[in-house]
Structures are given as structure tokens and as C-alpha cells.
Amino acid sequence: MEKTYTNPVAQRADDPWVIRQNGSYYYCYSGNGGVCVKKLDRLTDLSREGGVTVWTPPAGKEYSKELWAPELHYLNGRWYIYVAADDGNNENHRMYCLEGDQSDPTKPFVMKGKLSDNGDHWAIDGTVMNLSGKLYFIWSGWEGYENVAQNIYIASMKNPWTLDSDRVMLSKPQYYFEMNGTPLINEGPAVLQRDGKTFVAYSASGSWTDDYCLGLLTYLGGDPLKQENWDKATDPVFLRTDRVFGPGHCSFTVSPDGTEDWMVYHANAESGSGWSGRKGCIQKVEWKDGKPQFGRPLAFGTPAPVPSGE
């Protein structure tokens, strides 16, 4: 009999980030006044219970408070975490890099430094893209110094904790599905790669609205720091239904046997529940003609096959 799961797999999950490495899944999240990592045997085990606090910020620093959307990455033979943090004032949110162990991401991390463009603009939701061995940082930020809109930016990286180029805007709110809520928002970039092709899914519209959804950028080749080398979908690729609301802020991982791509995201079961009702969900990504197909969010309680090899 085929094994199945049902969403939600976690009753509480904000901006869920899951990575698979060396035969295990690792869930990275904010909690206990710091950043936590939990080792999972199965993707369906998504839960904060039993996670290890791997970094706690000292008091009185510019990065002591409001730790948002941490991401765990294995780069150049070592674990790193990227997290947005501030001093209690949202206008001071910036991206920071934490450095961990060479093999075990549940061991303590240390502050490596701030990743910032030359203008030192507001920044959250940083992620890393590896393109032919070269690292690029992709994040959500303000164009200026006022909270008018959040855009998606990219810069090249000298190493996992240092940017070495000016930022380039890849996407700004411009299409109908990006216009719900104020300020206008593009955030939560997540890289999906298979068969030599690269895509960046991002979240659009206000995360507190029912219309939070996913847009998609497709890398066309050439210099990734040139906006014209990316194609932006004019419609959302993953959006609400009459039973699932505000699906967004995803991460991508693979099945245990590596044959399938899976998306981890949060969504609400009740309309209007905003930030307070975000539950952890997983869903298989299908492929057609070399392009990812996200479908619609599975209705909560609907059985679906577990990841291949689980």
C-alpha cells in the first residue's frame, strides 16, 4: 500500500526552510530567542519540537532582535545560515551570515558578518544561488530608505559572507498578482535547479493577505547580474484556492532518492488569519518541457504520496 501524507505537516511554520544533506533533512527556523536547526528523518516530520538553538544573538547589537526567515546552506565545505535581523526597529533590518561546523549543522554557529550592498539598504530573505561554481546572493530589499515597496535584488559573492558587486534589481511588484497589500511586495526568493536549468520562485503581495502567492523568474543564460537575462512570469505560479489561503515563502528540497523536487511552504486554513495561522505544508514539484509545474495547493486533509524513497 502506498504511503501518503496530508497537509499541513506542521501546525505552525513561518517561512519554512528545509535542506537535505548527507541523507537527512534539516529544518532551520527562528525560535527560543535565536536561530534553531532540527534534523528530520522524513520531510513529513516537519516540526519545531526538539530543535537545537545553534545561535543566540548578544544583547545591544544591531542584529539582536527580530530574526526573520533564517536559511541554512552548505557552501564550500561548511555550513552557513543567512538571517535578517535588526535592533528592534524594522527600518534597520539587514542580512547577516552565521558560520557553522564543517559537517554538523546542529552544532553552534558564530556571527561572520553583515552582507550589504554599497548603499546599506534595508534587506531581508537572503538566499544563495550556485551557478557553475560561482555564488550569488539574492534577497528582498528597498530601493531607497523608505518602506514603499520590496524588490528582488542579486549580487555576486566573493565568499559566503562577502558581496563583491553592486546589487542589481531582478524583479519589482508590477503585475496584478503582486499588488495586494501595502507596501507592495516581492520577497522570499528561493532557487530551484534541475537538469542545468535555474529558476527563482519568489513570494508576491502582502504575506498577511489571503492573496500571498508565488511568482517565478527563469534564468535565460549569460550574466545573471543583468536583468535582461531573466524572464519573469506575468501570472502567479502558485496561488490561493477556496480552501487554502496565502500560500507562499517556499524553499525547495529533494526526495530521499533525489529523483523528485519538493516545495516546503506555509499557508493558512482560514481566510483572514494572516500571520497567526501559517501552517507548514509540502508538495511535489512536477516538470513539463523542462519547466517546473507547481499546480494548486493541496487542500488540507487530502492524501498525497510521500516523497520517493521515504
Side-chain angles (χ1 to χ4, degrees), residues 58 81 258 310:
I81 289 175
E310 187 169 291

Side-chain angles (χ1 to χ4, degrees), residues 199-258:
F199 306 86
V200 174
Y202 66 93
S203 299
S205 286
S207 58
W208 59 92
T209 72
D210 289 350
D211 295 304
Y212 201 47
C213 62
L214 295 183
L216 189 68
L217 301 171
T218 301
Y219 173 58
L220 303 176
D223 186 355
L225 297 181
K226 293 184 178 181
Q227 187 185 53
E228 59 265 29
N229 290 332
W230 294 84
D231 177 70
K232 179 176 177 176
T234 58
D235 293 300
V237 294
F238 197 65
L239 68 161
R240 60 172 285 181
T241 68
D242 59 354
R243 297 178 61 185
V244 180
F245 306 92
H249 205 118
C250 70
S251 61
F252 295 105
T253 187
V254 295
S255 59
D257 63 10

